[in-house]
Amino acid sequence: MTGIRVRFAPSPTGELHVGGVRTALFNWFFTRNHGGKMILRIDDTDRQRSSPEYLESILTSLKWLELDWDEGPEVGGKYGPYFQSERLNIYNDEAQKLIDSKKAYYCFCTPEELQAEREINLRKGQPPRYSGKCRQLSPQEIKDKKAHKNFVIRLLSPETGQTVVEDIIRGTVVFENNIFDDFIIIKSDGLPTYNFASVVDDFYMKISHVIRAEEHLSNTPRQQIIAEQLGYKLPSYAHVPMILAPDHSKLSKRHGATSVQEYKEMGVLPEALINYLALLGWSPGDDRELMSINEMTDLFSLDKVSKNPAIYDLKKLIWLNGNYLRTMKLDVIVQKALPFFKNSDELSDVVHSYQEDDFKKILEKVIDLVRDRVKTLRELVEASGYFFRNDFTYDEKGVKKHFGKKNAGEILAKVYRTLKDVEPYQPEQIKNALGELSQTLNLSMGRINLPTRLAVTGRTMGPDLFEVITFLGREKTLERIKKAKELFTSS
């Protein structure tokens, strides 16, 4: 394909959510796969709900996901401006063309008059359509009314026949024209409606493919009618499936995090989030799940996008994230994890006591030990506290189970003496020394290792004990064993 131009057009009325990201991602995959252009357009004509803060959040989220755009805010381009609020003169000019060609007209009906019409139609068992009575106004009547009444501009819509939408994903979708009334294209405040602005922008920005959520399918026949009245060539349409909650209801806050910012704060990696969202409604085949963004781009095809709703599964996302944590380059994970350590209430003072490069070297060793057992960057911090602080808390159940036994103090004392003398102080030698101790005491390795782990880390589970002991060093390890013995086994 040549001349591929797609657009992602969010409204800055809220955070960027999973549905919006998935739409942006499918547009990005499609255009990168075909060597086209990705346009970011900001649909900000809802003046009351739009805010600079939400715009900044959307841009930041896209950058964090590394979904770049070729034209739009902060980039520019020859088809701008890329904010709808800066394109009002274009919409007004196009609306005037429709009025001049008798394809649109001024409507002065009040909300009360429109409501009365709807009620009459409903009583007759007819669709609550607008009657179109303002179509017949004379030029003088229009001039008189414009002087003292608010008005909208309505498009003259076909009353018979069909509007056929040829959708790449859904095939042929037919709409009967008698379900549409003369719908509004310019509102009483002078701002364009969503459908009108989108059609005009898509034409002037030379958009070849409109890839968007299924919920917009019902807008498409109206947009096609607008485009035909304006004499525009239609873009190709592709409506991707909805994302539903596990109970098949509409996805909402009650089902967990839904915005990109929330996932970022949870410690989800952008690579994992992209991988997961790509699989919501699309499959490359062969049951493949773990893929790089380059692999997904090469494999992506609208033909492989499903018509059926995709089911959101947070557990699957976290599982994918855990896989990325285990397999990505260690220095990359360190860089991504560093802000979480810096912002941790428990560890921020420790982090700032080091030079950053020195802390990174230490952190690399810690992450290498714990990342197999965690699934998010936040969990990575939670799993690492005892490497940096001696004042950690002990697992209560572990204390009762392992320090409450009659000979716990004796075992810890012998472990202390064993570790004090082991040479060299390396994992294999430590393991062998504690193994010999278990044989000498005629105890299982668990009876030795578990109270030792609890004394050294405050936990009953974690990474390889002998690697942990080696990392902590002899002095710190012995200090912790002595402290645990005195706290819990002196009696």
Side-chain angles (χ1 to χ4, degrees), residues 325-326 330 333-334 361-374 380 383-384 386-388 427 453 457 461-473:
L325 273 177
R326 289 192 294 276
L330 197 54
I333 297 296
V334 168
K361 291 175 184 177
I362 297 170
L363 191 56
E364 188 168 303
K365 296 177 184 177
V366 171
I367 290 175
D368 197 30
L369 286 172
V370 304
R371 65 174 173 168
D372 284 353
R373 293 177 171 271
V374 298
L380 198 60
S384 303
Y386 61 82
F387 285 97
F388 301 100
R453 179 186 293 279
T457 69
M461 298 180 66
D464 183 89
L465 174 63
F466 313 114
E467 294 282 357
V468 171
I469 290 173
T470 303
F471 174 85
L472 291 172

mmCIF file of all heavy atoms in Angstrom, residues 325-326 330 333-334 361-374 380 383-384 386-388 427 453 457 461-473:
data_model
loop_
_atom_site.group_PDB
_atom_site.id
_atom_site.type_symbol
_atom_site.label_atom_id
_atom_site.label_comp_id
_atom_site.label_asym_id
_atom_site.label_seq_id
_atom_site.Cartn_x
_atom_site.Cartn_y
_atom_site.Cartn_z
ATOM 1 N N LEU A 325 10.212 -8.882 33.015
ATOM 2 C CA LEU A 325 11.173 -8.583 34.088
ATOM 3 C C LEU A 325 12.288 -9.622 34.142
ATOM 4 O O LEU A 325 13.438 -9.300 34.439
ATOM 5 C CB LEU A 325 10.447 -8.550 35.435
ATOM 6 C CG LEU A 325 9.820 -7.226 35.864
ATOM 7 C CD1 LEU A 325 9.094 -7.400 37.180
ATOM 8 C CD2 LEU A 325 10.871 -6.135 35.995
ATOM 9 N N ARG A 326 11.945 -10.848 33.885
ATOM 10 C CA ARG A 326 12.947 -11.925 33.969
ATOM 11 C C ARG A 326 13.884 -11.965 32.769
ATOM 12 O O ARG A 326 15.018 -12.441 32.887
ATOM 13 C CB ARG A 326 12.247 -13.285 34.099
ATOM 14 C CG ARG A 326 11.581 -13.505 35.439
ATOM 15 C CD ARG A 326 11.156 -14.948 35.618
ATOM 16 N NE ARG A 326 10.098 -15.346 34.701
ATOM 17 C CZ ARG A 326 8.801 -15.138 34.922
ATOM 18 N NH1 ARG A 326 8.414 -14.525 36.037
ATOM 19 N NH2 ARG A 326 7.892 -15.533 34.059
ATOM 20 N N LEU A 330 19.483 -6.702 32.033
ATOM 21 C CA LEU A 330 19.526 -6.281 33.426
ATOM 22 C C LEU A 330 19.700 -4.773 33.554
ATOM 23 O O LEU A 330 19.035 -4.123 34.383
ATOM 24 C CB LEU A 330 20.659 -7.013 34.148
ATOM 25 C CG LEU A 330 20.630 -7.027 35.665
ATOM 26 C CD1 LEU A 330 19.299 -7.545 36.180
ATOM 27 C CD2 LEU A 330 21.783 -7.885 36.186
ATOM 28 N N ILE A 333 16.354 -3.018 33.029
ATOM 29 C CA ILE A 333 15.461 -3.141 34.183
ATOM 30 C C ILE A 333 15.929 -2.222 35.313
ATOM 31 O O ILE A 333 15.115 -1.590 35.992
ATOM 32 C CB ILE A 333 15.380 -4.596 34.673
ATOM 33 C CG1 ILE A 333 14.777 -5.478 33.583
ATOM 34 C CG2 ILE A 333 14.565 -4.703 35.944
ATOM 35 C CD1 ILE A 333 13.347 -5.137 33.232
ATOM 36 N N VAL A 334 17.226 -2.132 35.521
ATOM 37 C CA VAL A 334 17.761 -1.248 36.564
ATOM 38 C C VAL A 334 17.332 0.188 36.307
ATOM 39 O O VAL A 334 16.888 0.902 37.216
ATOM 40 C CB VAL A 334 19.304 -1.356 36.627
ATOM 41 C CG1 VAL A 334 19.884 -0.241 37.493
ATOM 42 C CG2 VAL A 334 19.725 -2.705 37.176
ATOM 43 N N LYS A 361 25.074 -0.027 40.421
ATOM 44 C CA LYS A 361 25.867 -1.263 40.429
ATOM 45 C C LYS A 361 25.366 -2.227 41.497
ATOM 46 O O LYS A 361 25.277 -3.436 41.274
ATOM 47 C CB LYS A 361 27.342 -0.924 40.676
ATOM 48 C CG LYS A 361 27.999 -0.184 39.514
ATOM 49 C CD LYS A 361 29.419 0.221 39.860
ATOM 50 C CE LYS A 361 30.041 1.036 38.735
ATOM 51 N NZ LYS A 361 31.415 1.518 39.078
ATOM 52 N N ILE A 362 25.036 -1.675 42.659
ATOM 53 C CA ILE A 362 24.487 -2.507 43.734
ATOM 54 C C ILE A 362 23.110 -3.035 43.329
ATOM 55 O O ILE A 362 22.796 -4.212 43.505
ATOM 56 C CB ILE A 362 24.391 -1.704 45.040
ATOM 57 C CG1 ILE A 362 25.784 -1.268 45.501
ATOM 58 C CG2 ILE A 362 23.686 -2.511 46.121
ATOM 59 C CD1 ILE A 362 25.766 -0.275 46.632
ATOM 60 N N LEU A 363 22.299 -2.133 42.785
ATOM 61 C CA LEU A 363 20.936 -2.494 42.409
ATOM 62 C C LEU A 363 20.924 -3.591 41.354
ATOM 63 O O LEU A 363 20.052 -4.469 41.368
ATOM 64 C CB LEU A 363 20.209 -1.249 41.890
ATOM 65 C CG LEU A 363 18.693 -1.361 41.691
ATOM 66 C CD1 LEU A 363 18.007 -1.783 42.971
ATOM 67 C CD2 LEU A 363 18.133 -0.037 41.197
ATOM 68 N N GLU A 364 21.879 -3.556 40.460
ATOM 69 C CA GLU A 364 21.952 -4.586 39.419
ATOM 70 C C GLU A 364 22.090 -5.974 40.035
ATOM 71 O O GLU A 364 21.437 -6.926 39.613
ATOM 72 C CB GLU A 364 23.132 -4.284 38.491
ATOM 73 C CG GLU A 364 23.184 -5.168 37.260
ATOM 74 C CD GLU A 364 24.178 -4.664 36.234
ATOM 75 O OE1 GLU A 364 24.048 -3.505 35.801
ATOM 76 O OE2 GLU A 364 25.084 -5.440 35.878
ATOM 77 N N LYS A 365 22.906 -6.079 41.079
ATOM 78 C CA LYS A 365 23.089 -7.377 41.749
ATOM 79 C C LYS A 365 21.820 -7.800 42.480
ATOM 80 O O LYS A 365 21.422 -8.972 42.443
ATOM 81 C CB LYS A 365 24.258 -7.292 42.732
ATOM 82 C CG LYS A 365 25.608 -7.042 42.076
ATOM 83 C CD LYS A 365 26.708 -6.896 43.125
ATOM 84 C CE LYS A 365 28.043 -6.559 42.477
ATOM 85 N NZ LYS A 365 29.112 -6.351 43.499
ATOM 86 N N VAL A 366 21.180 -6.830 43.132
ATOM 87 C CA VAL A 366 19.959 -7.134 43.881
ATOM 88 C C VAL A 366 18.857 -7.591 42.936
ATOM 89 O O VAL A 366 18.193 -8.608 43.171
ATOM 90 C CB VAL A 366 19.503 -5.909 44.688
ATOM 91 C CG1 VAL A 366 18.119 -6.149 45.295
ATOM 92 C CG2 VAL A 366 20.511 -5.582 45.779
ATOM 93 N N ILE A 367 18.656 -6.835 41.851
ATOM 94 C CA ILE A 367 17.594 -7.179 40.901
ATOM 95 C C ILE A 367 17.847 -8.535 40.277
ATOM 96 O O ILE A 367 16.917 -9.334 40.072
ATOM 97 C CB ILE A 367 17.467 -6.080 39.827
ATOM 98 C CG1 ILE A 367 16.880 -4.819 40.460
ATOM 99 C CG2 ILE A 367 16.602 -6.543 38.657
ATOM 100 C CD1 ILE A 367 16.809 -3.623 39.523
ATOM 101 N N ASP A 368 19.089 -8.832 40.003
ATOM 102 C CA ASP A 368 19.416 -10.136 39.421
ATOM 103 C C ASP A 368 19.024 -11.271 40.366
ATOM 104 O O ASP A 368 18.648 -12.358 39.926
ATOM 105 C CB ASP A 368 20.913 -10.193 39.112
ATOM 106 C CG ASP A 368 21.250 -11.319 38.142
ATOM 107 O OD1 ASP A 368 20.392 -11.652 37.307
ATOM 108 O OD2 ASP A 368 22.362 -11.866 38.235
ATOM 109 N N LEU A 369 19.081 -11.015 41.672
ATOM 110 C CA LEU A 369 18.714 -12.038 42.652
ATOM 111 C C LEU A 369 17.197 -12.192 42.799
ATOM 112 O O LEU A 369 16.701 -13.308 42.964
ATOM 113 C CB LEU A 369 19.322 -11.699 44.019
ATOM 114 C CG LEU A 369 20.825 -11.921 44.169
ATOM 115 C CD1 LEU A 369 21.310 -11.353 45.498
ATOM 116 C CD2 LEU A 369 21.162 -13.411 44.091
ATOM 117 N N VAL A 370 16.454 -11.086 42.728
ATOM 118 C CA VAL A 370 15.031 -11.160 43.099
ATOM 119 C C VAL A 370 14.068 -11.146 41.922
ATOM 120 O O VAL A 370 12.888 -11.455 42.096
ATOM 121 C CB VAL A 370 14.646 -10.012 44.061
ATOM 122 C CG1 VAL A 370 15.527 -10.031 45.297
ATOM 123 C CG2 VAL A 370 14.716 -8.652 43.373
ATOM 124 N N ARG A 371 14.512 -10.804 40.719
ATOM 125 C CA ARG A 371 13.533 -10.562 39.661
ATOM 126 C C ARG A 371 12.786 -11.805 39.189
ATOM 127 O O ARG A 371 11.721 -11.686 38.592
ATOM 128 C CB ARG A 371 14.189 -9.856 38.470
ATOM 129 C CG ARG A 371 15.251 -10.655 37.719
ATOM 130 C CD ARG A 371 15.655 -9.851 36.495
ATOM 131 N NE ARG A 371 16.771 -10.418 35.768
ATOM 132 C CZ ARG A 371 17.120 -10.008 34.559
ATOM 133 N NH1 ARG A 371 16.440 -9.044 33.962
ATOM 134 N NH2 ARG A 371 18.159 -10.539 33.945
ATOM 135 N N ASP A 372 13.311 -12.971 39.453
ATOM 136 C CA ASP A 372 12.591 -14.190 39.077
ATOM 137 C C ASP A 372 11.343 -14.406 39.918
ATOM 138 O O ASP A 372 10.476 -15.201 39.559
ATOM 139 C CB ASP A 372 13.494 -15.417 39.222
ATOM 140 C CG ASP A 372 14.500 -15.524 38.086
ATOM 141 O OD1 ASP A 372 14.387 -14.722 37.140
ATOM 142 O OD2 ASP A 372 15.382 -16.396 38.146
ATOM 143 N N ARG A 373 11.249 -13.697 41.036
ATOM 144 C CA ARG A 373 10.148 -13.940 41.975
ATOM 145 C C ARG A 373 9.147 -12.788 42.044
ATOM 146 O O ARG A 373 8.251 -12.818 42.891
ATOM 147 C CB ARG A 373 10.724 -14.204 43.379
ATOM 148 C CG ARG A 373 11.508 -15.489 43.460
ATOM 149 C CD ARG A 373 12.134 -15.701 44.811
ATOM 150 N NE ARG A 373 12.701 -17.039 44.910
ATOM 151 C CZ ARG A 373 12.045 -18.103 45.332
ATOM 152 N NH1 ARG A 373 10.792 -17.993 45.723
ATOM 153 N NH2 ARG A 373 12.628 -19.285 45.385
ATOM 154 N N VAL A 374 9.303 -11.794 41.209
ATOM 155 C CA VAL A 374 8.383 -10.656 41.249
ATOM 156 C C VAL A 374 7.782 -10.448 39.863
ATOM 157 O O VAL A 374 8.295 -10.941 38.855
ATOM 158 C CB VAL A 374 9.092 -9.374 41.718
ATOM 159 C CG1 VAL A 374 9.629 -9.541 43.122
ATOM 160 C CG2 VAL A 374 10.215 -8.980 40.757
ATOM 161 N N LEU A 380 9.329 -5.379 42.874
ATOM 162 C CA LEU A 380 10.792 -5.466 42.915
ATOM 163 C C LEU A 380 11.339 -4.684 44.096
ATOM 164 O O LEU A 380 12.239 -5.156 44.819
ATOM 165 C CB LEU A 380 11.346 -4.899 41.605
ATOM 166 C CG LEU A 380 12.775 -5.237 41.199
ATOM 167 C CD1 LEU A 380 12.964 -6.737 41.040
ATOM 168 C CD2 LEU A 380 13.102 -4.536 39.883
ATOM 169 N N ALA A 383 10.462 -6.449 47.362
ATOM 170 C CA ALA A 383 11.233 -7.671 47.577
ATOM 171 C C ALA A 383 12.695 -7.398 47.901
ATOM 172 O O ALA A 383 13.450 -8.327 48.203
ATOM 173 C CB ALA A 383 11.157 -8.561 46.331
ATOM 174 N N SER A 384 13.097 -6.123 47.862
ATOM 175 C CA SER A 384 14.521 -5.798 47.982
ATOM 176 C C SER A 384 14.899 -5.075 49.269
ATOM 177 O O SER A 384 16.083 -4.837 49.505
ATOM 178 C CB SER A 384 14.942 -4.913 46.791
ATOM 179 O OG SER A 384 14.679 -5.543 45.568
ATOM 180 N N TYR A 386 15.280 -5.731 52.435
ATOM 181 C CA TYR A 386 16.234 -6.281 53.409
ATOM 182 C C TYR A 386 17.674 -6.283 52.908
ATOM 183 O O TYR A 386 18.606 -6.487 53.683
ATOM 184 C CB TYR A 386 15.821 -7.704 53.827
ATOM 185 C CG TYR A 386 15.776 -8.706 52.695
ATOM 186 C CD1 TYR A 386 16.925 -9.342 52.239
ATOM 187 C CD2 TYR A 386 14.560 -9.042 52.096
ATOM 188 C CE1 TYR A 386 16.886 -10.271 51.225
ATOM 189 C CE2 TYR A 386 14.501 -9.980 51.080
ATOM 190 C CZ TYR A 386 15.666 -10.588 50.641
ATOM 191 O OH TYR A 386 15.610 -11.512 49.631
ATOM 192 N N PHE A 387 17.868 -6.067 51.600
ATOM 193 C CA PHE A 387 19.236 -5.970 51.099
ATOM 194 C C PHE A 387 19.891 -4.671 51.542
ATOM 195 O O PHE A 387 21.107 -4.576 51.623
ATOM 196 C CB PHE A 387 19.250 -6.040 49.564
ATOM 197 C CG PHE A 387 19.018 -7.419 49.012
ATOM 198 C CD1 PHE A 387 17.762 -7.808 48.595
ATOM 199 C CD2 PHE A 387 20.057 -8.330 48.919
ATOM 200 C CE1 PHE A 387 17.543 -9.070 48.077
ATOM 201 C CE2 PHE A 387 19.858 -9.591 48.414
ATOM 202 C CZ PHE A 387 18.583 -9.966 47.992
ATOM 203 N N PHE A 388 19.059 -3.669 51.816
ATOM 204 C CA PHE A 388 19.573 -2.338 52.096
ATOM 205 C C PHE A 388 19.381 -1.880 53.538
ATOM 206 O O PHE A 388 20.041 -0.954 53.981
ATOM 207 C CB PHE A 388 18.892 -1.320 51.165
ATOM 208 C CG PHE A 388 19.107 -1.604 49.703
ATOM 209 C CD1 PHE A 388 18.126 -2.231 48.952
ATOM 210 C CD2 PHE A 388 20.303 -1.272 49.089
ATOM 211 C CE1 PHE A 388 18.318 -2.495 47.606
ATOM 212 C CE2 PHE A 388 20.503 -1.528 47.746
ATOM 213 C CZ PHE A 388 19.517 -2.153 46.999
ATOM 214 N N PRO A 427 28.988 -18.565 47.609
ATOM 215 C CA PRO A 427 27.785 -19.398 47.696
ATOM 216 C C PRO A 427 28.061 -20.890 47.842
ATOM 217 O O PRO A 427 27.450 -21.542 48.695
ATOM 218 C CB PRO A 427 27.053 -19.087 46.383
ATOM 219 C CG PRO A 427 27.478 -17.707 46.026
ATOM 220 C CD PRO A 427 28.900 -17.605 46.478
ATOM 221 N N ARG A 453 17.404 -18.051 56.927
ATOM 222 C CA ARG A 453 16.805 -17.098 55.982
ATOM 223 C C ARG A 453 15.961 -16.060 56.726
ATOM 224 O O ARG A 453 16.031 -14.866 56.453
ATOM 225 C CB ARG A 453 15.946 -17.820 54.947
ATOM 226 C CG ARG A 453 15.290 -16.857 53.946
ATOM 227 C CD ARG A 453 14.336 -17.583 53.014
ATOM 228 N NE ARG A 453 15.020 -18.487 52.121
ATOM 229 C CZ ARG A 453 15.631 -18.135 50.993
ATOM 230 N NH1 ARG A 453 15.677 -16.848 50.651
ATOM 231 N NH2 ARG A 453 16.210 -19.038 50.223
ATOM 232 N N THR A 457 16.827 -12.206 56.411
ATOM 233 C CA THR A 457 15.979 -11.404 55.509
ATOM 234 C C THR A 457 14.638 -11.001 56.120
ATOM 235 O O THR A 457 13.952 -10.147 55.572
ATOM 236 C CB THR A 457 15.688 -12.180 54.214
ATOM 237 O OG1 THR A 457 14.825 -13.293 54.508
ATOM 238 C CG2 THR A 457 16.966 -12.693 53.572
ATOM 239 N N MET A 461 10.702 -16.925 52.436
ATOM 240 C CA MET A 461 10.897 -17.255 51.028
ATOM 241 C C MET A 461 11.688 -16.146 50.365
ATOM 242 O O MET A 461 11.683 -15.001 50.829
ATOM 243 C CB MET A 461 9.543 -17.429 50.313
ATOM 244 C CG MET A 461 8.692 -18.566 50.865
ATOM 245 S SD MET A 461 7.122 -18.721 49.985
ATOM 246 C CE MET A 461 7.691 -19.215 48.359
ATOM 247 N N GLY A 462 12.342 -16.481 49.282
ATOM 248 C CA GLY A 462 13.113 -15.475 48.571
ATOM 249 C C GLY A 462 14.099 -16.125 47.623
ATOM 250 O O GLY A 462 14.028 -17.331 47.360
ATOM 251 N N PRO A 463 15.027 -15.353 47.115
ATOM 252 C CA PRO A 463 16.023 -15.889 46.195
ATOM 253 C C PRO A 463 16.987 -16.840 46.903
ATOM 254 O O PRO A 463 16.909 -17.031 48.123
ATOM 255 C CB PRO A 463 16.744 -14.638 45.690
ATOM 256 C CG PRO A 463 16.524 -13.606 46.727
ATOM 257 C CD PRO A 463 15.187 -13.907 47.324
ATOM 258 N N ASP A 464 17.880 -17.412 46.147
ATOM 259 C CA ASP A 464 18.844 -18.376 46.674
ATOM 260 C C ASP A 464 19.515 -17.849 47.943
ATOM 261 O O ASP A 464 20.152 -16.781 47.934
ATOM 262 C CB ASP A 464 19.896 -18.673 45.610
ATOM 263 C CG ASP A 464 20.883 -19.730 46.061
ATOM 264 O OD1 ASP A 464 20.622 -20.909 45.832
ATOM 265 O OD2 ASP A 464 21.910 -19.340 46.666
ATOM 266 N N LEU A 465 19.363 -18.575 49.048
ATOM 267 C CA LEU A 465 19.846 -18.125 50.357
ATOM 268 C C LEU A 465 21.350 -17.888 50.342
ATOM 269 O O LEU A 465 21.846 -16.910 50.920
ATOM 270 C CB LEU A 465 19.485 -19.161 51.429
ATOM 271 C CG LEU A 465 20.042 -18.897 52.826
ATOM 272 C CD1 LEU A 465 19.486 -17.589 53.391
ATOM 273 C CD2 LEU A 465 19.729 -20.069 53.756
ATOM 274 N N PHE A 466 22.086 -18.749 49.685
ATOM 275 C CA PHE A 466 23.546 -18.659 49.730
ATOM 276 C C PHE A 466 24.034 -17.463 48.905
ATOM 277 O O PHE A 466 25.053 -16.841 49.255
ATOM 278 C CB PHE A 466 24.150 -19.976 49.230
ATOM 279 C CG PHE A 466 23.487 -21.171 49.851
ATOM 280 C CD1 PHE A 466 22.745 -22.057 49.081
ATOM 281 C CD2 PHE A 466 23.550 -21.390 51.228
ATOM 282 C CE1 PHE A 466 22.108 -23.133 49.654
ATOM 283 C CE2 PHE A 466 22.911 -22.467 51.798
ATOM 284 C CZ PHE A 466 22.181 -23.343 51.018
ATOM 285 N N GLU A 467 23.312 -17.134 47.842
ATOM 286 C CA GLU A 467 23.635 -15.922 47.073
ATOM 287 C C GLU A 467 23.332 -14.676 47.907
ATOM 288 O O GLU A 467 24.080 -13.699 47.887
ATOM 289 C CB GLU A 467 22.803 -15.883 45.779
ATOM 290 C CG GLU A 467 23.128 -16.980 44.771
ATOM 291 C CD GLU A 467 24.402 -16.700 43.989
ATOM 292 O OE1 GLU A 467 25.000 -15.621 44.191
ATOM 293 O OE2 GLU A 467 24.803 -17.567 43.190
ATOM 294 N N VAL A 468 22.228 -14.708 48.650
ATOM 295 C CA VAL A 468 21.856 -13.566 49.506
ATOM 296 C C VAL A 468 22.909 -13.338 50.582
ATOM 297 O O VAL A 468 23.360 -12.211 50.823
ATOM 298 C CB VAL A 468 20.470 -13.794 50.146
ATOM 299 C CG1 VAL A 468 20.183 -12.717 51.192
ATOM 300 C CG2 VAL A 468 19.382 -13.813 49.086
ATOM 301 N N ILE A 469 23.319 -14.428 51.238
ATOM 302 C CA ILE A 469 24.312 -14.329 52.305
ATOM 303 C C ILE A 469 25.627 -13.780 51.770
ATOM 304 O O ILE A 469 26.286 -12.940 52.390
ATOM 305 C CB ILE A 469 24.519 -15.701 52.969
ATOM 306 C CG1 ILE A 469 23.261 -16.080 53.774
ATOM 307 C CG2 ILE A 469 25.743 -15.702 53.869
ATOM 308 C CD1 ILE A 469 23.295 -17.498 54.328
ATOM 309 N N THR A 470 25.996 -14.248 50.576
ATOM 310 C CA THR A 470 27.231 -13.766 49.958
ATOM 311 C C THR A 470 27.137 -12.277 49.654
ATOM 312 O O THR A 470 28.074 -11.505 49.910
ATOM 313 C CB THR A 470 27.520 -14.546 48.668
ATOM 314 O OG1 THR A 470 27.600 -15.941 48.969
ATOM 315 C CG2 THR A 470 28.816 -14.082 48.031
ATOM 316 N N PHE A 471 25.991 -11.861 49.100
ATOM 317 C CA PHE A 471 25.812 -10.449 48.753
ATOM 318 C C PHE A 471 25.885 -9.571 49.996
ATOM 319 O O PHE A 471 26.530 -8.515 49.992
ATOM 320 C CB PHE A 471 24.466 -10.250 48.050
ATOM 321 C CG PHE A 471 24.145 -8.807 47.791
ATOM 322 C CD1 PHE A 471 24.626 -8.165 46.667
ATOM 323 C CD2 PHE A 471 23.383 -8.065 48.693
ATOM 324 C CE1 PHE A 471 24.354 -6.829 46.435
ATOM 325 C CE2 PHE A 471 23.103 -6.725 48.469
ATOM 326 C CZ PHE A 471 23.590 -6.105 47.336
ATOM 327 N N LEU A 472 25.231 -9.994 51.081
ATOM 328 C CA LEU A 472 25.211 -9.190 52.300
ATOM 329 C C LEU A 472 26.595 -9.077 52.926
ATOM 330 O O LEU A 472 26.922 -8.074 53.560
ATOM 331 C CB LEU A 472 24.227 -9.796 53.311
ATOM 332 C CG LEU A 472 22.736 -9.695 52.941
ATOM 333 C CD1 LEU A 472 21.895 -10.499 53.929
ATOM 334 C CD2 LEU A 472 22.280 -8.239 52.918
ATOM 335 N N GLY A 473 27.382 -10.103 52.770
ATOM 336 C CA GLY A 473 28.713 -10.106 53.369
ATOM 337 C C GLY A 473 28.708 -10.712 54.763
ATOM 338 O O GLY A 473 27.667 -10.782 55.424
#
